Amino acid sequence: MTSDPITNTNAAVIIAALRRAGVQRLFGMPGGGSTADLIEAARLGGLPFTLAQTETGAAFMATAQAEISGAPGACVATLGPGAASLVNGVANAMLDRVPLLVLTDCLPDDMRGVADHQNLPHDRMFASVAKATFRAAASDAGRVLCDAIATATDGRPGPVHVDISPEVTLHSAAPVHGALRPGGQSLPAEAGSHRDGADTRRPPPAGAAAHRLPAAAMERLRQARRPLFLVGLAARTQEAAAALRSIAAAHHVPALVTYKAKGVVPDDSAWWAGVLTNGALERPVLDRADLFVAVGFDPVELLPRLWTMPQPVVSIGPWPIRQQQVPVAEEATGDVPEILRAVDACLAGRSDWTAEEVAELAARQRAAMRPDGDTGALLPHEVVDIVAGVYNGSRATVDAGAHMFPVMSLWPAHDPCGVLISNGLSTMGFALPAAIGAALADRSRPIVAFTGDGGLLMCLGELQTAVREDVPVRIIVLDDRALSLIRIKQAQRGYATDGTGLGAMDWRAVGTGFGLVAHQVATAAALRSCLVETAAHPGPVLIAATVSPSTYPETLRALRG
Ligand SMILES: Cc1ncc(C[n+]2csc(CCOP(=O)(O)OP(=O)(O)O)c2C)c(N)n1
C-alpha cells in the first residue's frame, strides 16, 4: 500500500539514482508529462527542484553545480520545444567536459511514429551535442539511469540525454540488478555513438602501470631547465591544485592557466605566469620555456589557431586528449596528483626561472589589459579592479564578450573552479544562470556574475529565478550599449556597425522590476560605494556599470595579436 502515487514508481527510482550519483538539485522547465512525475518524485525523494526560465538556463545552472561539486548535474525538460531549447546548454556541457544528466519527456511507445505534434527525434537532435542518448523503458528505467550516469562520468565527462515517457515514470519500479554497464544499453544506433571519438574508458586504477610517466617523459623532465605548466580544465580538483602549487614552489615552475583553470594556481602566486588562450599575450612566457608540462589540458579551450610552439609537450590528465591541434610528445593518463608526484621526483632541484622574471612577465600581461581609454569615462578594467577590491576571494562567473578579457586577466581567482566560464563553447547567456546554480550549491559567500548587456538580455528571465531563490548573486553588467566584441570585428573589416547596437537600457528599472536591489553607476566612486553599500545584502543585487568600450580594441589586439 503506497501513501502517494509516485513512491515505488520508476520516477522515484530515477530520482534515487540521481541522488546516489551526487546530484544536489534538479533544474528545469516542466511540461505536463513525465517531467511533472519527476518533480513530484524529487520533492518526495528529498532532491530540491529549481524552476529556470529557459531550458538552457536550467542546463547552465546544473552544469555550474556539477563543476563545483565534481558530481553530475541534472536537468529536466518537456518534449519537443523543451528539448529543442535545451540544445545550447547541452552543447556547453559537451565542450566544457561537464557530466550532465539531461532528462526529457517523450511520446509513449504507442504514439511514436503516429503523432507529429511536438514530436521531434530527440535521439538525433542530441546525438551531436551529447556523449550518448538513451530511451528508458518501463522495465529498466533504473538500469538505464545508472548506465547514463556511468556514461556521463566515465573517461572524459560530458552530457548524456535520456528520453523518459510518462508511461515509464508512472510504471511500478523494477529492481535494478547487476553491475553498471558503462556506455551501454539502448544507445539507439548511431545516436548513442560518440560524435568525435570521445574516449569513455575509465582511468586505470591507482598504482597501475599506466599511471607512471613514460620513460621518455621522465627523461625530458630531468633535462628541462625551464619547464612550464600549461594547466587546463581537468586539473580543477583540490588535490591536483595542491600538487601543482607545491611543485611550482619547490622547483620554480611557472604556470599558465586556461580560462577554466583560473585559480588552480592562484593569480597571486609567485608562479602564476598568465592566462593561456593560444593568443599573443602569453607568447613571451611560452617562448622562454624549454618543456611544456600540460596538466589536465584540453585544447578545446584554445583559440582555433595552429599551435606554433616548437617545444615538446608532456601531457598529464585523467583521460587521453584526442586532438590534432597540439602535438603531444608523451602522455600519461590516470590519477593526476599521483602522476604529479612522479613529475616532482623527476624535476632536478630548482629550474632556471626566477620569481622576479615571472612576476615581470605577469605584470606586463596585466598592464596590457589596463590600457588608456576615453578620458573621464569608467573603463571595463577599472570595473574589474574595483569589484575585486570588494569581493576578493569570491567565486565569479563570466559571460562571452569583450568584457571577458579584462575579467579573465585581472580577476584574482584563488581556488579551482573559482571562476566559471563557458570556454569550450563560449556561449553568451551563461554567467547569470551559472551564478544562480553555483550560489544554490554554496550560499556561504556572494558570487559575482560579470556579463555584457547583450549576454544578460539573453537570459534576463533568470533575474526572476535569482529573486525567487533569494541567492547572494552580484550581477555586474558592463553596460556599453553594444555587442562590443562583434563591433570590433566589424571595425577590423571596415564594416559599418549595423546589427551590433543595443541602445540604452534603464537597468535600475529592469532590476527593481524583477525585485532585485539594482543600481546604475557611471563613475569609479559611485561603483565603489554602491558595492560597499550592497555587500551585506543577503539576496541578489544588480549593478550596471556604464562603461566606455574604448579600451576593447587595444585589449583584443594585445590578447590575440
Ligand atoms: C549564444 C551566442 N550567440 C552569439 C555569440 C557570438 N558573440 C560572442 S560575444 C558577442 C557579443 C557580446 O555582447 P555583450 O554581451 O554586450 O558583451 P560585450 O562584447 O559588449 O562585452 C556575440 C554576439 C555567442 N558567443 N553566443
Side-chain angles (χ1 to χ4, degrees):
M1 174 93 180
T2 58
S3 53
D4 60 70
I6 288 291
T7 304
N8 296 331
T9 63
N10 278 327
V13 168
I14 290 166
I15 294 302
L18 294 179
R19 288 197 61 188
R20 271 199 309 277
V23 173
Q24 295 179 356
R25 183 177 286 265
L26 196 55
F27 296 90
M29 168 64 76
S34 64
T35 54
D37 303 331
L38 289 171
I39 291 169
E40 176 68 355
R43 183 179 73 81
L44 294 170
L47 182 64
F49 175 79
T50 291
L51 169 68
Q53 300 307 321
T54 67
E55 287 76 1
T56 272
F60 291 157
M61 291 176 200
T63 293
Q65 288 214 337
E67 292 198 272
I68 62 179
S69 71
C75 56
V76 295
T78 191
L79 73 170
S85 171
L86 257 174
V87 169
N88 195 41
V90 180
N92 175 66
M94 184 73 175
L95 293 192
D96 278 28
R97 318 309 191 200
V98 182
L100 179 70
L101 281 308
V102 181
L103 314 182
T104 59
D105 195 6
C106 62
L107 287 179
D109 285 342
D110 59 1
M111 292 309 284
R112 287 174 92 199
V114 177
D116 285 339
H117 182 68
Q118 292 193 320
N119 188 9
L120 293 171
H122 293 176
D123 53 353
R124 281 192 278 132
M125 229 167 67
F126 287 110
S128 60
V129 291
K131 274 180 87 174
T133 164
F134 293 75
R135 182 177 171 91
S139 59
D140 69 354
R143 178 183 287 277
V144 168
L145 247 288
C146 290
D147 287 351
I149 290 163
T151 306
T153 51
D154 271 358
R156 191 178 78 189
V160 172
H161 162 252
V162 188
D163 253 350
I164 310 170
S165 74
E167 68 186 354
V168 171
T169 39
L170 291 179
H171 197 276
S172 9
V176 181
H177 296 299
L180 301 184
R181 288 170 298 160
Q185 184 266 352
S186 88
L187 299 179
E190 67 285 351
S193 65
H194 300 290
R195 172 182 70 96
D196 58 357
D199 194 315
T200 58
R201 286 173 300 162
R202 291 171 195 277
H211 275 221
R212 290 204 299 268
L213 281 166
M218 293 167 110
E219 193 48 33
R220 287 189 200 279
L221 287 160
R222 284 190 200 105
Q223 299 298 327
R225 291 312 313 148
R226 298 179 72 84
L228 175 68
F229 282 133
L230 309 181
V231 185
L233 58 81
R236 292 176 303 161
T237 64
Q238 296 297 345
E239 298 74 21
L244 277 163
R245 293 172 189 197
S246 124
I247 296 173
H251 297 286
H252 291 192
V253 183
L256 287 172
V257 295
T258 62
Y259 278 1
K260 289 186 78 76
K262 279 268 290 185
V264 174
V265 173
D267 291 57
D268 61 5
S269 155
W271 302 105
W272 184 88
V275 172
L276 175 67
T277 65
N278 200 21
L281 194 62
E282 70 270 25
R283 184 81 192 209
V285 181
L286 291 166
D287 281 339
R288 292 188 190 198
D290 63 3
L291 176 68
F292 299 139
V293 184
V295 183
F297 174 67
D298 186 329
V300 73
E301 289 207 71
L302 298 184
L303 289 169
R305 299 172 171 181
L306 290 178
W307 180 262
T308 55
M309 305 307 300
Q311 297 95 322
V313 179
V314 171
S315 176
I316 294 162
W319 61 80
I321 49 168
R322 297 259 180 96
Q323 48 86 44
Q324 307 294 323
Q325 196 176 357
V326 180
V328 171
E330 281 91 30
E331 186 168 9
T333 304
D335 183 72
V336 171
E338 187 178 325
I339 302 169
L340 286 173
R341 277 193 284 282
V343 170
D344 191 11
C346 289
L347 288 169
R350 290 182 174 170
S351 77
D352 289 350
W353 293 96
T354 65
E356 296 70 35
E357 178 188 12
V358 174
E360 206 228 303
L361 286 163
R364 256 194 259 159
Q365 294 168 67
R366 291 192 179 108
M369 290 297 105
R370 294 183 175 116
D372 292 336
D374 284 346
T375 327
L378 184 57
L379 301 175
H381 61 264
E382 293 173 336
V383 172
V384 179
D385 287 337
I386 292 167
V387 177
V390 177
Y391 285 106
N392 194 341
S394 287
R395 179 172 280 126
T397 64
V398 190
D399 221 71
H403 63 280
M404 163 181 94
F405 303 134
V407 180
M408 295 314 291
S409 294
L410 302 175
W411 181 258
H414 300 287
D415 309 299
C417 296
V419 172
L420 299 179
I421 184 167
S422 164
N423 196 26
L425 188 66
S426 297
T427 179
M428 291 165 74
F430 172 84
L432 172 59
I436 294 170
L440 283 167
D442 175 9
R443 288 176 186 269
S444 65
R445 51 182 183 161
I447 174 158
V448 180
F450 286 101
T451 176
D453 38 0
L456 183 56
L457 285 168
M458 275 195 184
C459 57
L460 201 63
E462 305 304 352
L463 289 178
Q464 203 273 332
T465 314
V467 171
R468 177 167 22 85
E469 296 289 350
D470 197 26
V471 279
V473 171
R474 306 292 181 254
I475 304 146
I476 310 294
V477 192
L478 286 100
D479 174 25
D480 55 11
R481 303 170 182 192
L483 304 173
S484 284
L485 183 55
I486 311 307
R487 185 162 275 195
I488 296 168
K489 294 176 182 179
Q490 289 175 317
Q492 284 169 346
R493 290 176 210 179
Y495 298 160
T497 54
D498 292 20
T500 51
L502 293 167
M505 295 272 303
D506 184 345
W507 286 106
R508 192 164 181 280
V510 171
T512 51
F514 275 100
L516 284 92
V517 170
H519 296 274
Q520 180 116 25
V521 297
T523 65
L527 173 61
R528 206 171 285 114
S529 68
C530 162
L531 284 163
V532 171
E533 259 168 45
T534 56
H537 182 67
V541 175
L542 182 148
I543 300 174
T546 306
V547 292
S548 157
S550 52
T551 50
Y552 285 147
E554 194 174 332
T555 314
L556 188 65
R557 236 185 340 269
L559 258 172
R560 298 192 173 171

